[in-house]
């Protein structure tokens, strides 16, 4: 006898297929498209809106980042000013010391001349 493995699984299938009706295929295609197209169009508009919102969000983030950078620059400037004050007071002290030394050397010269 003939075993199950000897028979081709596709045997007789082609003869069983009815003739394809082009109009039916067209109507089925239109039906399928009309079923899914509204959802796809809604998804497309939702994605476009999301993309626009992301662009706005990115612009806002860039503005906030630039504000933080400005704050950082202000802190740097503030540190620079405090450092300048520190060095200014050092210079004032050095000038006072030099004036005092100048007075002392002037007095020594005068007392040295009088000897």
């Amino acid at each position: 006898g003939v075993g199950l493995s000897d028979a081709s699984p596709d045997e007789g299938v082609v003869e069983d297929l009815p003739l394809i009706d082009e109009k039916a295929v067209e109507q089925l295609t239109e039906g399928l498209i009309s079923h899914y197209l509204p959802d796809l169009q809604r998804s497309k508009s939702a994605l476009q809106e999301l993309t626009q919102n992301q662009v706005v969000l990115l612009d806002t983030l860039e503005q906030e980042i630039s504000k933080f950078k400005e704050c950082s620059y202000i802190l740097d400037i503030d540190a620079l000013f405090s450092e300048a004050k520190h060095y200014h007071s050092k210079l004032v002290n050095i000038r006072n010391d030099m004036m005092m030394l100048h007075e002392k050397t002037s007095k020594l010269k005068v007392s040295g001349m009088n000897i």
Side-chain angles (χ1 to χ4, degrees):
V2 175
L4 288 176
S5 61
D6 292 343
S8 170
D10 294 335
E11 191 174 312
V13 171
V14 176
E15 293 84 17
D16 293 343
L17 284 177
L19 291 175
I20 296 173
D21 184 2
E22 295 293 328
K23 189 166 179 67
V25 170
E26 188 177 325
Q27 288 175 341
L28 286 171
T29 304
E30 287 175 8
L32 188 67
I33 288 174
S34 68
H35 179 73
Y36 286 107
L37 192 60
D39 286 339
L40 290 173
Q41 286 174 334
R42 280 192 295 273
S43 297
K44 180 183 177 184
S45 69
L47 285 172
Q48 285 174 335
E49 185 180 344
L50 180 63
T51 303
Q52 289 171 348
N53 289 340
Q54 284 178 333
V55 168
V56 170
L57 181 62
L58 284 173
D59 287 343
T60 306
L61 278 174
E62 285 177 8
Q63 290 172 2
E64 293 300 315
I65 288 170
S66 68
K67 286 179 187 176
F68 280 117
K69 285 181 180 175
E70 287 174 14
C71 288
S72 172
Y73 295 149
I74 289 171
L75 289 175
D76 290 345
I77 290 172
D78 192 39
L80 191 63
F81 275 118
S82 66
E83 194 175 348
K85 283 181 188 176
H86 173 72
Y87 285 113
H88 179 263
S89 66
K90 276 189 164 189
L91 284 172
V92 167
N93 288 338
I94 290 172
R95 188 186 71 180
N96 290 339
D97 289 345
M98 289 179 74
M99 287 173 60
M100 186 181 67
L101 287 173
H102 177 70
E103 285 179 27
K104 284 185 177 180
T105 54
S106 295
K107 286 179 184 177
L108 283 174
K109 282 183 185 176
V110 170
S111 67
M113 287 183 185
N114 290 337
I115 293 181

